[in-house]
Each structure stands twice: as structure tokens, then as C-alpha cells.
mmCIF file of all heavy atoms in Angstrom:
data_model
loop_
_atom_site.group_PDB
_atom_site.id
_atom_site.type_symbol
_atom_site.label_atom_id
_atom_site.label_comp_id
_atom_site.label_asym_id
_atom_site.label_seq_id
_atom_site.Cartn_x
_atom_site.Cartn_y
_atom_site.Cartn_z
ATOM 1 N N ASN Z 1 -112.729 182.871 -28.826
ATOM 2 C CA ASN Z 1 -112.101 183.697 -29.866
ATOM 3 C C ASN Z 1 -112.413 183.234 -31.282
ATOM 4 O O ASN Z 1 -112.275 184.033 -32.210
ATOM 5 C CB ASN Z 1 -110.586 183.741 -29.640
ATOM 6 C CG ASN Z 1 -110.175 184.817 -28.682
ATOM 7 O OD1 ASN Z 1 -110.331 186.005 -28.945
ATOM 8 N ND2 ASN Z 1 -109.670 184.401 -27.537
ATOM 9 N N GLN Z 2 -112.800 181.990 -31.462
ATOM 10 C CA GLN Z 2 -113.152 181.580 -32.834
ATOM 11 C C GLN Z 2 -114.354 182.394 -33.357
ATOM 12 O O GLN Z 2 -114.445 182.636 -34.552
ATOM 13 C CB GLN Z 2 -113.490 180.082 -32.874
ATOM 14 C CG GLN Z 2 -114.693 179.679 -32.114
ATOM 15 C CD GLN Z 2 -115.174 178.311 -32.482
ATOM 16 O OE1 GLN Z 2 -115.228 177.931 -33.656
ATOM 17 N NE2 GLN Z 2 -115.523 177.533 -31.483
ATOM 18 N N HIS Z 3 -115.237 182.815 -32.477
ATOM 19 C CA HIS Z 3 -116.402 183.583 -32.903
ATOM 20 C C HIS Z 3 -116.091 185.058 -33.082
ATOM 21 O O HIS Z 3 -116.743 185.754 -33.844
ATOM 22 C CB HIS Z 3 -117.546 183.402 -31.917
ATOM 23 C CG HIS Z 3 -117.979 181.999 -31.725
ATOM 24 N ND1 HIS Z 3 -118.110 181.110 -32.778
ATOM 25 C CD2 HIS Z 3 -118.311 181.270 -30.611
ATOM 26 C CE1 HIS Z 3 -118.486 179.929 -32.334
ATOM 27 N NE2 HIS Z 3 -118.624 180.019 -31.025
ATOM 28 N N LEU Z 4 -115.081 185.535 -32.388
ATOM 29 C CA LEU Z 4 -114.640 186.932 -32.579
ATOM 30 C C LEU Z 4 -113.781 187.090 -33.822
ATOM 31 O O LEU Z 4 -113.684 188.176 -34.394
ATOM 32 C CB LEU Z 4 -113.839 187.399 -31.354
ATOM 33 C CG LEU Z 4 -114.629 187.892 -30.162
ATOM 34 C CD1 LEU Z 4 -113.693 188.042 -28.946
ATOM 35 C CD2 LEU Z 4 -115.315 189.233 -30.464
ATOM 36 N N ALA Z 5 -113.164 186.003 -34.272
ATOM 37 C CA ALA Z 5 -112.101 186.107 -35.273
ATOM 38 C C ALA Z 5 -112.556 186.693 -36.600
ATOM 39 O O ALA Z 5 -111.773 187.329 -37.326
ATOM 40 C CB ALA Z 5 -111.512 184.716 -35.526
ATOM 41 N N SER Z 6 -113.832 186.538 -36.959
ATOM 42 C CA SER Z 6 -114.305 187.072 -38.238
ATOM 43 C C SER Z 6 -114.298 188.610 -38.245
ATOM 44 O O SER Z 6 -114.394 189.221 -39.337
ATOM 45 C CB SER Z 6 -115.719 186.563 -38.527
ATOM 46 O OG SER Z 6 -116.631 187.006 -37.536
ATOM 47 N N ARG Z 7 -114.175 189.242 -37.088
ATOM 48 C CA ARG Z 7 -114.124 190.684 -37.014
ATOM 49 C C ARG Z 7 -112.721 191.241 -37.322
ATOM 50 O O ARG Z 7 -112.566 192.444 -37.534
ATOM 51 C CB ARG Z 7 -114.523 191.164 -35.619
ATOM 52 C CG ARG Z 7 -115.975 190.928 -35.253
ATOM 53 C CD ARG Z 7 -116.256 191.358 -33.810
ATOM 54 N NE ARG Z 7 -117.703 191.278 -33.505
ATOM 55 C CZ ARG Z 7 -118.413 192.328 -33.113
ATOM 56 N NH1 ARG Z 7 -117.837 193.518 -32.928
ATOM 57 N NH2 ARG Z 7 -119.714 192.189 -32.865
ATOM 58 N N ILE Z 8 -111.721 190.383 -37.335
ATOM 59 C CA ILE Z 8 -110.341 190.861 -37.486
ATOM 60 C C ILE Z 8 -110.122 191.448 -38.862
ATOM 61 O O ILE Z 8 -110.495 190.893 -39.888
ATOM 62 C CB ILE Z 8 -109.360 189.690 -37.235
ATOM 63 C CG1 ILE Z 8 -109.432 189.251 -35.757
ATOM 64 C CG2 ILE Z 8 -107.946 190.069 -37.625
ATOM 65 C CD1 ILE Z 8 -108.632 188.003 -35.446
ATOM 66 N N GLN Z 9 -109.459 192.617 -38.889
ATOM 67 C CA GLN Z 9 -109.035 193.273 -40.123
ATOM 68 C C GLN Z 9 -107.524 193.338 -40.258
ATOM 69 O O GLN Z 9 -107.000 193.591 -41.322
ATOM 70 C CB GLN Z 9 -109.655 194.659 -40.221
ATOM 71 C CG GLN Z 9 -111.145 194.670 -40.250
ATOM 72 C CD GLN Z 9 -111.760 196.064 -40.401
ATOM 73 O OE1 GLN Z 9 -111.183 196.917 -41.065
ATOM 74 N NE2 GLN Z 9 -112.885 196.292 -39.766
ATOM 75 N N ALA Z 10 -106.826 193.092 -39.154
ATOM 76 C CA ALA Z 10 -105.349 193.133 -39.160
ATOM 77 C C ALA Z 10 -104.778 191.965 -39.961
ATOM 78 O O ALA Z 10 -105.435 190.913 -40.119
ATOM 79 C CB ALA Z 10 -104.819 193.094 -37.731
ATOM 80 N N GLU Z 11 -103.566 192.115 -40.399
ATOM 81 C CA GLU Z 11 -102.822 190.998 -40.997
ATOM 82 C C GLU Z 11 -102.391 190.072 -39.864
ATOM 83 O O GLU Z 11 -101.879 190.536 -38.828
ATOM 84 C CB GLU Z 11 -101.642 191.486 -41.792
ATOM 85 C CG GLU Z 11 -100.842 190.357 -42.444
ATOM 86 C CD GLU Z 11 -99.617 190.851 -43.218
ATOM 87 O OE1 GLU Z 11 -99.435 192.088 -43.327
ATOM 88 O OE2 GLU Z 11 -98.843 190.001 -43.720
ATOM 89 N N ILE Z 12 -102.556 188.758 -40.057
ATOM 90 C CA ILE Z 12 -102.326 187.790 -38.984
ATOM 91 C C ILE Z 12 -101.187 186.843 -39.353
ATOM 92 O O ILE Z 12 -101.100 186.343 -40.472
ATOM 93 C CB ILE Z 12 -103.578 186.967 -38.717
ATOM 94 C CG1 ILE Z 12 -104.732 187.841 -38.234
ATOM 95 C CG2 ILE Z 12 -103.299 185.838 -37.708
ATOM 96 C CD1 ILE Z 12 -104.520 188.489 -36.900
ATOM 97 N N LEU Z 13 -100.295 186.611 -38.363
ATOM 98 C CA LEU Z 13 -99.291 185.562 -38.439
ATOM 99 C C LEU Z 13 -99.475 184.677 -37.220
ATOM 100 O O LEU Z 13 -99.393 185.176 -36.083
ATOM 101 C CB LEU Z 13 -97.871 186.134 -38.458
ATOM 102 C CG LEU Z 13 -96.746 185.097 -38.520
ATOM 103 C CD1 LEU Z 13 -96.638 184.535 -39.934
ATOM 104 C CD2 LEU Z 13 -95.419 185.721 -38.109
ATOM 105 N N MET Z 14 -99.778 183.384 -37.412
ATOM 106 C CA MET Z 14 -100.089 182.517 -36.289
ATOM 107 C C MET Z 14 -99.142 181.313 -36.250
ATOM 108 O O MET Z 14 -99.284 180.399 -37.066
ATOM 109 C CB MET Z 14 -101.523 182.024 -36.329
ATOM 110 C CG MET Z 14 -101.910 181.184 -35.110
ATOM 111 S SD MET Z 14 -103.574 180.448 -35.203
ATOM 112 C CE MET Z 14 -104.597 181.934 -35.107
ATOM 113 N N PRO Z 15 -98.181 181.252 -35.347
ATOM 114 C CA PRO Z 15 -97.388 180.034 -35.144
ATOM 115 C C PRO Z 15 -98.177 178.975 -34.390
ATOM 116 O O PRO Z 15 -98.831 179.259 -33.384
ATOM 117 C CB PRO Z 15 -96.196 180.556 -34.318
ATOM 118 C CG PRO Z 15 -96.165 182.032 -34.533
ATOM 119 C CD PRO Z 15 -97.625 182.415 -34.645
ATOM 120 N N VAL Z 16 -98.093 177.726 -34.851
ATOM 121 C CA VAL Z 16 -98.855 176.611 -34.311
ATOM 122 C C VAL Z 16 -97.963 175.380 -34.203
ATOM 123 O O VAL Z 16 -97.270 175.043 -35.146
ATOM 124 C CB VAL Z 16 -100.074 176.284 -35.182
ATOM 125 C CG1 VAL Z 16 -100.819 175.066 -34.647
ATOM 126 C CG2 VAL Z 16 -101.015 177.462 -35.310
ATOM 127 N N GLY Z 17 -98.002 174.723 -33.025
ATOM 128 C CA GLY Z 17 -97.330 173.439 -32.876
ATOM 129 C C GLY Z 17 -98.348 172.313 -33.024
ATOM 130 O O GLY Z 17 -99.312 172.266 -32.268
ATOM 131 N N LEU Z 18 -98.153 171.394 -33.951
ATOM 132 C CA LEU Z 18 -99.148 170.384 -34.228
ATOM 133 C C LEU Z 18 -99.205 169.293 -33.168
ATOM 134 O O LEU Z 18 -100.135 168.460 -33.171
ATOM 135 C CB LEU Z 18 -98.911 169.764 -35.596
ATOM 136 C CG LEU Z 18 -99.046 170.699 -36.805
ATOM 137 C CD1 LEU Z 18 -98.909 169.898 -38.114
ATOM 138 C CD2 LEU Z 18 -100.390 171.425 -36.773
ATOM 139 N N MET Z 19 -98.258 169.255 -32.211
ATOM 140 C CA MET Z 19 -98.277 168.303 -31.114
ATOM 141 C C MET Z 19 -98.746 168.938 -29.810
ATOM 142 O O MET Z 19 -98.487 168.440 -28.733
ATOM 143 C CB MET Z 19 -96.887 167.674 -30.939
ATOM 144 C CG MET Z 19 -96.382 166.905 -32.154
ATOM 145 S SD MET Z 19 -97.449 165.503 -32.593
ATOM 146 C CE MET Z 19 -97.103 164.376 -31.238
ATOM 147 N N ASP Z 20 -99.454 170.040 -29.924
ATOM 148 C CA ASP Z 20 -99.892 170.808 -28.747
ATOM 149 C C ASP Z 20 -101.063 170.097 -28.072
ATOM 150 O O ASP Z 20 -102.132 169.930 -28.641
ATOM 151 C CB ASP Z 20 -100.331 172.208 -29.205
ATOM 152 C CG ASP Z 20 -100.476 173.189 -28.068
ATOM 153 O OD1 ASP Z 20 -100.705 172.768 -26.912
ATOM 154 O OD2 ASP Z 20 -100.347 174.408 -28.318
ATOM 155 N N THR Z 21 -100.860 169.668 -26.805
ATOM 156 C CA THR Z 21 -101.923 169.027 -26.043
ATOM 157 C C THR Z 21 -102.480 169.978 -24.975
ATOM 158 O O THR Z 21 -103.374 169.568 -24.207
ATOM 159 C CB THR Z 21 -101.417 167.753 -25.343
ATOM 160 O OG1 THR Z 21 -100.296 168.052 -24.503
ATOM 161 C CG2 THR Z 21 -101.001 166.701 -26.379
ATOM 162 N N ILE Z 22 -101.983 171.188 -24.889
ATOM 163 C CA ILE Z 22 -102.536 172.205 -23.989
ATOM 164 C C ILE Z 22 -103.605 173.016 -24.689
ATOM 165 O O ILE Z 22 -104.715 173.183 -24.188
ATOM 166 C CB ILE Z 22 -101.417 173.127 -23.474
ATOM 167 C CG1 ILE Z 22 -100.289 172.299 -22.795
ATOM 168 C CG2 ILE Z 22 -101.977 174.159 -22.490
ATOM 169 C CD1 ILE Z 22 -100.736 171.509 -21.591
ATOM 170 N N CYS Z 23 -103.265 173.522 -25.851
ATOM 171 C CA CYS Z 23 -104.218 174.224 -26.727
ATOM 172 C C CYS Z 23 -104.231 173.459 -28.045
ATOM 173 O O CYS Z 23 -103.458 173.767 -28.947
ATOM 174 C CB CYS Z 23 -103.821 175.677 -26.962
ATOM 175 S SG CYS Z 23 -103.775 176.678 -25.440
ATOM 176 N N PRO Z 24 -105.051 172.439 -28.163
ATOM 177 C CA PRO Z 24 -104.978 171.528 -29.302
ATOM 178 C C PRO Z 24 -105.056 172.289 -30.648
ATOM 179 O O PRO Z 24 -105.765 173.299 -30.747
ATOM 180 C CB PRO Z 24 -106.199 170.634 -29.128
ATOM 181 C CG PRO Z 24 -106.503 170.681 -27.661
ATOM 182 C CD PRO Z 24 -106.125 172.063 -27.205
ATOM 183 N N PRO Z 25 -104.319 171.828 -31.650
ATOM 184 C CA PRO Z 25 -104.311 172.518 -32.931
ATOM 185 C C PRO Z 25 -105.695 172.815 -33.504
ATOM 186 O O PRO Z 25 -105.920 173.898 -34.052
ATOM 187 C CB PRO Z 25 -103.524 171.558 -33.831
ATOM 188 C CG PRO Z 25 -102.623 170.830 -32.905
ATOM 189 C CD PRO Z 25 -103.391 170.661 -31.621
ATOM 190 N N SER Z 26 -106.631 171.877 -33.375
ATOM 191 C CA SER Z 26 -107.949 172.117 -33.941
ATOM 192 C C SER Z 26 -108.608 173.342 -33.314
ATOM 193 O O SER Z 26 -109.326 174.091 -34.017
ATOM 194 C CB SER Z 26 -108.837 170.885 -33.783
ATOM 195 O OG SER Z 26 -108.934 170.506 -32.408
ATOM 196 N N THR Z 27 -108.396 173.591 -32.032
ATOM 197 C CA THR Z 27 -108.990 174.755 -31.402
ATOM 198 C C THR Z 27 -108.428 176.032 -31.981
ATOM 199 O O THR Z 27 -109.150 177.037 -32.153
ATOM 200 C CB THR Z 27 -108.786 174.732 -29.874
ATOM 201 O OG1 THR Z 27 -107.414 174.899 -29.540
ATOM 202 C CG2 THR Z 27 -109.284 173.416 -29.288
ATOM 203 N N GLN Z 28 -107.144 176.013 -32.273
ATOM 204 C CA GLN Z 28 -106.489 177.165 -32.885
ATOM 205 C C GLN Z 28 -106.973 177.390 -34.323
ATOM 206 O O GLN Z 28 -107.251 178.521 -34.749
ATOM 207 C CB GLN Z 28 -104.976 177.009 -32.831
ATOM 208 C CG GLN Z 28 -104.443 176.858 -31.418
ATOM 209 C CD GLN Z 28 -102.965 176.554 -31.398
ATOM 210 O OE1 GLN Z 28 -102.167 177.252 -32.018
ATOM 211 N NE2 GLN Z 28 -102.543 175.476 -30.695
ATOM 212 N N PHE Z 29 -107.108 176.296 -35.054
ATOM 213 C CA PHE Z 29 -107.594 176.393 -36.433
ATOM 214 C C PHE Z 29 -109.040 176.830 -36.474
ATOM 215 O O PHE Z 29 -109.461 177.464 -37.457
ATOM 216 C CB PHE Z 29 -107.418 175.046 -37.152
ATOM 217 C CG PHE Z 29 -106.064 174.858 -37.779
ATOM 218 C CD1 PHE Z 29 -104.965 174.451 -37.016
ATOM 219 C CD2 PHE Z 29 -105.860 175.075 -39.136
ATOM 220 C CE1 PHE Z 29 -103.725 174.267 -37.592
ATOM 221 C CE2 PHE Z 29 -104.624 174.905 -39.726
ATOM 222 C CZ PHE Z 29 -103.539 174.497 -38.953
ATOM 223 N N ALA Z 30 -109.815 176.525 -35.434
ATOM 224 C CA ALA Z 30 -111.212 176.990 -35.414
ATOM 225 C C ALA Z 30 -111.269 178.495 -35.499
ATOM 226 O O ALA Z 30 -112.171 179.042 -36.166
ATOM 227 C CB ALA Z 30 -111.897 176.497 -34.120
ATOM 228 N N ALA Z 31 -110.319 179.177 -34.861
ATOM 229 C CA ALA Z 31 -110.239 180.630 -34.958
ATOM 230 C C ALA Z 31 -109.597 181.062 -36.284
ATOM 231 O O ALA Z 31 -110.099 181.915 -36.985
ATOM 232 C CB ALA Z 31 -109.451 181.196 -33.778
ATOM 233 N N TYR Z 32 -108.481 180.445 -36.606
ATOM 234 C CA TYR Z 32 -107.733 180.835 -37.831
ATOM 235 C C TYR Z 32 -108.606 180.722 -39.074
ATOM 236 O O TYR Z 32 -108.598 181.589 -39.950
ATOM 237 C CB TYR Z 32 -106.506 179.951 -37.970
ATOM 238 C CG TYR Z 32 -105.640 180.321 -39.167
ATOM 239 C CD1 TYR Z 32 -104.730 181.385 -39.114
ATOM 240 C CD2 TYR Z 32 -105.726 179.583 -40.349
ATOM 241 C CE1 TYR Z 32 -103.963 181.694 -40.216
ATOM 242 C CE2 TYR Z 32 -104.963 179.911 -41.450
ATOM 243 C CZ TYR Z 32 -104.069 180.974 -41.378
ATOM 244 O OH TYR Z 32 -103.312 181.303 -42.480
ATOM 245 N N ASN Z 33 -109.406 179.643 -39.163
ATOM 246 C CA ASN Z 33 -110.204 179.411 -40.350
ATOM 247 C C ASN Z 33 -111.301 180.457 -40.545
ATOM 248 O O ASN Z 33 -111.842 180.603 -41.648
ATOM 249 C CB ASN Z 33 -110.829 178.030 -40.318
ATOM 250 C CG ASN Z 33 -109.776 176.926 -40.466
ATOM 251 O OD1 ASN Z 33 -108.680 177.172 -40.934
ATOM 252 N ND2 ASN Z 33 -110.128 175.722 -40.043
ATOM 253 N N LYS Z 34 -111.632 181.204 -39.488
ATOM 254 C CA LYS Z 34 -112.682 182.217 -39.579
ATOM 255 C C LYS Z 34 -112.128 183.608 -39.850
ATOM 256 O O LYS Z 34 -112.898 184.550 -40.030
ATOM 257 C CB LYS Z 34 -113.525 182.189 -38.317
ATOM 258 C CG LYS Z 34 -114.313 180.910 -38.112
ATOM 259 C CD LYS Z 34 -115.087 180.927 -36.806
ATOM 260 C CE LYS Z 34 -115.917 179.661 -36.633
ATOM 261 N NZ LYS Z 34 -115.088 178.435 -36.470
ATOM 262 N N ILE Z 35 -110.840 183.752 -39.875
ATOM 263 C CA ILE Z 35 -110.206 185.045 -40.179
ATOM 264 C C ILE Z 35 -110.279 185.284 -41.693
ATOM 265 O O ILE Z 35 -109.860 184.420 -42.475
ATOM 266 C CB ILE Z 35 -108.759 185.072 -39.662
ATOM 267 C CG1 ILE Z 35 -108.715 184.938 -38.144
ATOM 268 C CG2 ILE Z 35 -108.067 186.365 -40.110
ATOM 269 C CD1 ILE Z 35 -107.325 184.703 -37.596
ATOM 270 N N THR Z 36 -110.780 186.435 -42.088
ATOM 271 C CA THR Z 36 -110.925 186.735 -43.487
ATOM 272 C C THR Z 36 -109.890 187.736 -44.000
ATOM 273 O O THR Z 36 -109.795 187.973 -45.192
ATOM 274 C CB THR Z 36 -112.344 187.287 -43.790
ATOM 275 O OG1 THR Z 36 -112.556 188.460 -43.006
ATOM 276 C CG2 THR Z 36 -113.390 186.246 -43.445
ATOM 277 N N SER Z 37 -109.138 188.349 -43.065
ATOM 278 C CA SER Z 37 -108.073 189.269 -43.479
ATOM 279 C C SER Z 37 -106.849 188.495 -43.947
ATOM 280 O O SER Z 37 -106.826 187.225 -43.892
ATOM 281 C CB SER Z 37 -107.693 190.187 -42.317
ATOM 282 O OG SER Z 37 -107.229 189.423 -41.218
ATOM 283 N N LYS Z 38 -105.844 189.174 -44.414
ATOM 284 C CA LYS Z 38 -104.602 188.531 -44.844
ATOM 285 C C LYS Z 38 -104.011 187.732 -43.662
ATOM 286 O O LYS Z 38 -103.929 188.263 -42.544
ATOM 287 C CB LYS Z 38 -103.603 189.559 -45.350
ATOM 288 C CG LYS Z 38 -102.304 188.961 -45.917
ATOM 289 C CD LYS Z 38 -101.402 190.075 -46.424
ATOM 290 C CE LYS Z 38 -100.101 189.481 -47.013
ATOM 291 N NZ LYS Z 38 -99.194 190.563 -47.497
ATOM 292 N N LYS Z 39 -103.614 186.494 -43.917
ATOM 293 C CA LYS Z 39 -103.175 185.674 -42.808
ATOM 294 C C LYS Z 39 -102.169 184.610 -43.306
ATOM 295 O O LYS Z 39 -102.156 184.243 -44.473
ATOM 296 C CB LYS Z 39 -104.363 184.980 -42.149
ATOM 297 C CG LYS Z 39 -105.147 184.056 -43.080
ATOM 298 C CD LYS Z 39 -106.380 183.484 -42.401
ATOM 299 C CE LYS Z 39 -107.166 182.545 -43.305
ATOM 300 N NZ LYS Z 39 -108.361 181.954 -42.638
ATOM 301 N N ASN Z 40 -101.401 184.091 -42.311
ATOM 302 C CA ASN Z 40 -100.433 183.049 -42.641
ATOM 303 C C ASN Z 40 -100.140 182.264 -41.380
ATOM 304 O O ASN Z 40 -100.155 182.818 -40.269
ATOM 305 C CB ASN Z 40 -99.136 183.658 -43.187
ATOM 306 C CG ASN Z 40 -98.250 182.606 -43.820
ATOM 307 O OD1 ASN Z 40 -98.711 181.563 -44.288
ATOM 308 N ND2 ASN Z 40 -96.945 182.862 -43.826
ATOM 309 N N LEU Z 41 -99.875 180.991 -41.547
ATOM 310 C CA LEU Z 41 -99.478 180.126 -40.424
ATOM 311 C C LEU Z 41 -97.991 179.849 -40.483
ATOM 312 O O LEU Z 41 -97.375 179.790 -41.544
ATOM 313 C CB LEU Z 41 -100.219 178.767 -40.507
ATOM 314 C CG LEU Z 41 -101.704 178.752 -40.162
ATOM 315 C CD1 LEU Z 41 -102.321 177.434 -40.618
ATOM 316 C CD2 LEU Z 41 -101.910 178.935 -38.679
ATOM 317 N N VAL Z 42 -97.407 179.657 -39.284
ATOM 318 C CA VAL Z 42 -96.056 179.107 -39.176
ATOM 319 C C VAL Z 42 -96.186 177.802 -38.422
ATOM 320 O O VAL Z 42 -96.479 177.770 -37.232
ATOM 321 C CB VAL Z 42 -95.136 180.075 -38.393
ATOM 322 C CG1 VAL Z 42 -93.722 179.494 -38.311
ATOM 323 C CG2 VAL Z 42 -95.128 181.452 -39.039
ATOM 324 N N ILE Z 43 -96.031 176.696 -39.113
ATOM 325 C CA ILE Z 43 -96.343 175.382 -38.554
ATOM 326 C C ILE Z 43 -95.083 174.673 -38.085
ATOM 327 O O ILE Z 43 -94.099 174.557 -38.815
ATOM 328 C CB ILE Z 43 -97.100 174.518 -39.598
ATOM 329 C CG1 ILE Z 43 -98.483 175.151 -39.879
ATOM 330 C CG2 ILE Z 43 -97.280 173.099 -39.100
ATOM 331 C CD1 ILE Z 43 -99.282 174.427 -40.929
ATOM 332 N N TYR Z 44 -95.155 174.157 -36.870
ATOM 333 C CA TYR Z 44 -94.085 173.354 -36.247
ATOM 334 C C TYR Z 44 -94.647 171.939 -36.022
ATOM 335 O O TYR Z 44 -95.322 171.677 -35.025
ATOM 336 C CB TYR Z 44 -93.650 173.962 -34.940
ATOM 337 C CG TYR Z 44 -92.840 175.224 -35.061
ATOM 338 C CD1 TYR Z 44 -93.457 176.457 -35.308
ATOM 339 C CD2 TYR Z 44 -91.452 175.210 -34.933
ATOM 340 C CE1 TYR Z 44 -92.707 177.606 -35.418
ATOM 341 C CE2 TYR Z 44 -90.703 176.371 -35.029
ATOM 342 C CZ TYR Z 44 -91.328 177.570 -35.280
ATOM 343 O OH TYR Z 44 -90.577 178.725 -35.383
ATOM 344 N N PRO Z 45 -94.403 170.997 -36.940
ATOM 345 C CA PRO Z 45 -95.052 169.685 -36.884
ATOM 346 C C PRO Z 45 -94.726 168.876 -35.634
ATOM 347 O O PRO Z 45 -95.579 168.129 -35.145
ATOM 348 C CB PRO Z 45 -94.523 168.965 -38.142
ATOM 349 C CG PRO Z 45 -94.144 170.072 -39.082
ATOM 350 C CD PRO Z 45 -93.630 171.165 -38.194
ATOM 351 N N ASP Z 46 -93.516 169.017 -35.074
ATOM 352 C CA ASP Z 46 -93.076 168.157 -33.976
ATOM 353 C C ASP Z 46 -93.096 168.832 -32.617
ATOM 354 O O ASP Z 46 -92.611 168.282 -31.618
ATOM 355 C CB ASP Z 46 -91.646 167.648 -34.251
ATOM 356 C CG ASP Z 46 -91.547 166.919 -35.570
ATOM 357 O OD1 ASP Z 46 -92.374 166.015 -35.796
ATOM 358 O OD2 ASP Z 46 -90.647 167.245 -36.381
ATOM 359 N N PHE Z 47 -93.671 170.021 -32.537
ATOM 360 C CA PHE Z 47 -93.630 170.779 -31.308
ATOM 361 C C PHE Z 47 -95.021 170.972 -30.720
ATOM 362 O O PHE Z 47 -96.016 171.051 -31.434
ATOM 363 C CB PHE Z 47 -92.991 172.172 -31.541
ATOM 364 C CG PHE Z 47 -91.498 172.092 -31.704
ATOM 365 C CD1 PHE Z 47 -90.944 171.704 -32.938
ATOM 366 C CD2 PHE Z 47 -90.622 172.387 -30.655
ATOM 367 C CE1 PHE Z 47 -89.566 171.630 -33.093
ATOM 368 C CE2 PHE Z 47 -89.271 172.298 -30.812
ATOM 369 C CZ PHE Z 47 -88.736 171.925 -32.023
ATOM 370 N N GLY Z 48 -95.049 171.080 -29.395
ATOM 371 C CA GLY Z 48 -96.300 171.298 -28.683
ATOM 372 C C GLY Z 48 -96.383 172.718 -28.134
ATOM 373 O O GLY Z 48 -95.970 173.663 -28.766
#
């Protein structure tokens, strides 16, 4: 999905847990960082 993400035109809201060991945060950011439409993160520092 990181390679598909640049096609997104929708507004994005992405909740992320920074202690996630199932879907590590960096993998999620790899997609988020490629989104060029309006976007925002909801960060949970202590949650996985």
C-alpha cells in the first residue's frame, strides 16, 4: 500500500500506535508519507 498511496485523493485520518509490533509504525508511515492529499495522524505513543 505504500506504493498505491500516492494515488489517494481522499482526505485521510490515520490513527497509529507507536508501540505496534504487529504492524510496525515505520511500515504505516511508509504509506502515510507518500499521501499527497489532505491528511492527519492521530498518534497514541504508548499503544500497540
Side-chain angles (χ1 to χ4, degrees):
N1 274 295
Q2 66 164 316
H3 301 319
L4 277 168
S6 62
R7 292 177 173 239
I8 293 174
Q9 298 183 34
E11 182 181 356
I12 298 295
L13 180 75
M14 185 185 292
V16 177
L18 295 185
M19 298 299 289
D20 195 335
T21 57
I22 304 299
C23 298
S26 56
T27 68
Q28 300 174 52
F29 274 81
Y32 182 82
N33 292 341
K34 295 177 178 67
I35 297 169
T36 59
S37 60
K38 185 178 180 181
K39 61 183 180 179
N40 193 25
L41 287 167
V42 181
I43 294 177
Y44 288 79
D46 303 310
F47 285 80

